[in-house]
């Protein structure tokens, strides 16, 4: 009886966190308060809480943070060396004769770049090049923006920065062939949805003008064509040689500097460029790092107290993989506005609880968390930082943005949830 009462109190505070976040509350403060409340409600001794919930998770999470740092640095190097921009502008070359194909090609290039690149700074640097191209092809503003941000969202299934953050809850999930088979498949599903989205709006796409094409070509910073493979290199060396993420990212960074001639302008110039990119990349993720530390602590306390409300959770959480997958797919809009299915919002509590129950193997549970977080929240929600920037930059009404992208994010979530059952059940 005592466990049921404690379990209900824990769930009540969980619901309180969901409501708080969805009303715009600061997520880091929410995690901090929840951690303290669950320590108290769960009756965890203070010394155990200090060492096993606060100190240990923060110390152990340091290696993951380093991967995120290197991932962000690589993204910044891709942008500041001109590699990302040059890859992007190749789309213009086919836009004159084949505008529909060009629109699809722009989206595929975007997805390719963000298999490794990460951060709002990198997104903005690419967006100022590609969004005008999409609009010049005749795509309506809402279609161009939604197609672009969904194309950024798709590769987040394999982006090491994203995967490492969610591995916090599911430590048995390895960034290797088993997961990447699902990750690339889920990415492909979302890109197919993006292509269908573009084809449904094909009537608005028209033949580009010569003047627009020439204008886009002006000022293009050309780089060695060998650099075009660099965005996917960290993933390739992981698959082929079983390298850990940091060596792969560091190799890609060094090759980017080498192939773009950054070593040819003197030691000081090279050092200044490296220092600048590091500073920018750390700035891009500084708040994220602190939030992830609080997440690690909250996940630790969730594991400690899960026994207190297993009886309640057994009655709430479906234990059949098909039922859970369809439930997640149908309810995926709950990932919007940092809701209970968005892992970087109130959904962090959902992830922690789902992981702690042990009802499912961790690869399947991981998929159930990343699907709505990526295909709905990252790809179609206004609370995602770069989505908000794109909407404000293009002066697109928020309501229009949501009405345009959410239905397609919803379809993707359902399809990928089914895919996850077939691959991991």
């Amino acid at each position: 009886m005592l466990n049921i009462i404690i379990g209900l109190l824990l769930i009540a505070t969980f619901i309180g966190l969901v409501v708080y976040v969805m009303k715009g509350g600061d997520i880091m403060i929410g995690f901090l308060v929840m951690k303290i409340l669950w320590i108290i409600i769960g009756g965890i001794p203070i010394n155990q809480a200090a060492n096993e919930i606060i100190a240990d998770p923060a110390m152990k999470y340091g290696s993951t943070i380093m991967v995120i740092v290197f991932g962000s640095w690589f993204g910044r190097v891709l942008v500041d060396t001109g590699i990302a921009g040059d890859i992007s502008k190749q789309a213009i070359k086919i836009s004159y004769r084949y505008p529909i194909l060009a629109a699809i090609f722009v989206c595929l290039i975007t997805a390719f770049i963000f298999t490794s690149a990460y951060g709002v700074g990198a997104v903005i640097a690419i967006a100022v090049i590609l969004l005008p191209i999409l609009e010049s092809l005749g795509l309506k503003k809402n279609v161009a923006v939604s197609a672009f941000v969904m194309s950024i969202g798709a590769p987040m299934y394999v982006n090491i920065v994203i995967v490492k953050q969610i591995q916090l809850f599911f430590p048995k999930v390895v960034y290797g062939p088993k997961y990447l088979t699902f990750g690339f498949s889920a990415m492909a599903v979302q890109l197919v949805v993006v292509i269908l989205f573009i084809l449904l709006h094909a009537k608005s796409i028209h033949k580009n003008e010569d003047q627009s094409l020439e204008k886009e070509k002006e000022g293009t910073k050309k780089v060695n064509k060998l650099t075009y493979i660099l965005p996917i290199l960290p993933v390739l060396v992981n698959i082929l040689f079983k390298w850990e993420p940091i060596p792969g990212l560091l190799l890609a960074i060094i090759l980017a500097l080498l192939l773009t001639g950054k070593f040819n302008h003197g030691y000081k110039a090279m050092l200044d460029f490296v220092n600048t990119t590091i500073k920018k990349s750390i700035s891009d993720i500084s708040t994220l790092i602190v939030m992830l530390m609080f997440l690690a602590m909250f996940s630790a306390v969730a594991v400690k107290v899960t026994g207190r409300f297993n009886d309640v959770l057994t009655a709430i959480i479906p234990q059949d993989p098909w039922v859970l997958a369809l439930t997640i797919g149908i309810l995926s809009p709950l990932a919007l506005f940092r809701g209970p299915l968005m892992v970087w919002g109130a959904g962090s509590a959902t992830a922690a609880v789902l992981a702690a129950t042990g009802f499912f193997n961790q690869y399947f549970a991981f998929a159930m968390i990343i699907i709505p977080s990526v295909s709905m929240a990252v790809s179609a929600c206004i609370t995602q930082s770069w989505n908000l920037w794109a909407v404000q930059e293009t002066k697109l009404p928020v309501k229009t943005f949501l009405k345009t992208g959410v239905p397609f994010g919803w379809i993707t979530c359902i399809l990928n949830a089914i895919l996850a059952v077939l691959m991991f059940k």
Side-chain angles (χ1 to χ4, degrees):
M1 184 64 183
L2 179 61
N3 277 348
I4 293 177
I5 294 173
I6 292 175
L8 291 173
L9 287 173
L10 292 169
I11 291 174
T13 55
F14 168 78
I15 294 172
L17 174 65
V18 172
V19 173
Y20 170 75
V21 173
M22 293 186 71
K23 286 188 174 182
D26 186 276
I27 187 67
M28 287 190 291
I29 299 300
F31 290 143
L32 179 62
V33 173
M34 276 287 286
K35 176 187 66 180
I36 295 171
L37 288 175
W38 280 27
I39 288 172
I40 295 171
I41 296 171
I44 299 173
I46 187 168
N47 286 341
Q48 184 181 8
N51 293 322
E52 297 180 15
I53 293 174
I54 298 175
D56 287 351
M59 296 296 291
K60 291 177 181 177
Y61 200 56
S63 59
T64 298
I65 287 177
M66 289 311 300
V67 173
I68 295 171
V69 168
F70 273 85
S72 181
W73 182 24
F74 178 49
R76 176 53 57 183
V77 168
L78 283 178
V79 171
D80 288 3
T81 54
I83 294 172
D86 195 46
I87 293 174
S88 302
K89 289 187 178 181
Q90 298 307 310
I92 307 171
K93 293 184 177 179
I94 63 169
S95 65
Y96 178 59
R97 293 184 178 178
Y98 310 104
I100 295 176
L101 184 59
I104 294 172
F105 190 48
V106 166
C107 292
L108 294 179
I109 285 176
T110 301
F112 177 73
I113 291 171
F114 285 96
T115 52
S116 292
Y118 181 79
V120 66
V123 172
I124 292 172
I126 302 302
V128 295
I129 299 169
L130 295 186
L131 278 178
I133 294 175
L134 289 172
E135 290 193 55
S136 75
L137 293 172
L139 271 72
K140 292 180 180 178
K141 191 182 298 182
N142 60 316
V143 177
V145 171
S146 290
F148 179 70
V149 298
M150 284 193 289
S151 300
I152 295 171
M156 294 301 139
Y157 280 106
V158 297
N159 188 295
I160 186 63
V161 177
I162 292 292
V163 174
K164 275 295 179 182
Q165 293 174 39
I166 305 178
Q167 277 180 316
L168 165 68
F169 302 100
F170 307 99
K172 292 182 181 179
V173 174
V174 178
Y175 186 80
K178 181 176 181 178
Y179 172 74
L180 288 173
T181 301
F182 166 76
F184 278 112
S185 300
M187 173 182 170
V189 167
Q190 181 152 327
L191 287 175
V192 169
V193 171
V194 171
I195 291 170
L196 292 174
F197 174 72
I198 291 172
L199 293 177
L200 286 172
H201 296 88
K203 289 183 179 179
S204 68
I205 301 175
H206 59 69
K207 191 175 181 181
N208 204 352
E209 299 294 335
D210 269 323
Q211 293 86 348
S212 299
L213 184 61
E214 293 304 318
K215 183 178 179 181
E216 290 294 342
K217 284 183 178 180
E218 291 176 6
T220 301
K221 186 177 182 180
K222 295 183 179 180
V223 298
N224 190 318
K225 298 297 187 289
L226 291 175
T227 61
Y228 291 179
I229 198 175
L230 292 182
I232 201 73
L233 183 62
V235 180
L236 287 177
V237 295
N238 176 274
I239 295 172
L240 297 175
F241 307 116
K242 304 296 186 292
W243 283 22
E244 290 296 320
I246 289 178
L249 290 166
L250 187 57
L251 173 63
I253 290 169
I254 293 171
L255 288 175
L257 296 175
L258 181 65
L259 293 173
T260 54
K262 295 302 177 184
F263 291 134
N264 300 337
H265 303 295
Y267 174 77
K268 187 178 185 304
M270 183 273 293
L271 189 61
D272 287 343
F273 179 83
V274 169
N275 286 335
T276 299
T277 54
I278 290 174
K279 289 176 183 176
K280 287 182 180 178
S281 63
I282 296 296
S283 177
D284 288 342
I285 59 171
S286 56
T287 303
L288 173 66
I289 288 174
V290 177
M291 184 179 75
L292 289 174
M293 283 292 188
F294 285 141
L295 263 175
M297 297 172 192
F298 177 71
S299 179
V301 73
V303 171
K304 292 289 184 185
V305 303
T306 186
R308 296 286 195 174
F309 58 136
N310 259 344
D311 292 340
V312 179
L313 290 175
T314 301
I316 295 175
I317 298 177
Q319 296 187 47
D320 181 88
W322 278 106
V323 175
L324 179 63
L326 292 175
T327 301
I328 292 292
I330 293 169
L331 297 180
S332 58
L334 291 177
L336 295 169
F337 301 102
R338 306 278 166 173
L341 290 181
M342 203 284 200
V343 72
W344 301 284
S348 58
T350 306
V353 170
L354 182 61
T357 61
F359 291 164
F360 306 97
N361 75 73
Q362 289 204 357
Y363 281 90
F364 177 71
F366 183 101
M368 292 300 98
I369 293 300
I370 197 173
I371 288 168
S373 297
V374 165
S375 291
M376 183 62 73
V378 172
S379 303
C381 184
I382 193 63
T383 61
Q384 178 62 36
S385 56
W386 53 69
N387 293 353
L388 180 59
W389 174 87
V391 166
Q392 292 176 337
E393 178 71 12
T394 57
K395 297 180 173 57
L396 178 67
V398 172
K399 183 178 180 181
T400 302
F401 170 73
L402 293 172
K403 287 174 64 177
T404 303
V406 167
F408 291 89
W410 202 343
I411 292 169
T412 306
C413 287
I414 293 172
L415 293 175
N416 278 338
I418 294 172
L419 176 68
V421 178
L422 295 174
M423 297 187 72
F424 294 136
K425 71 173 183 178

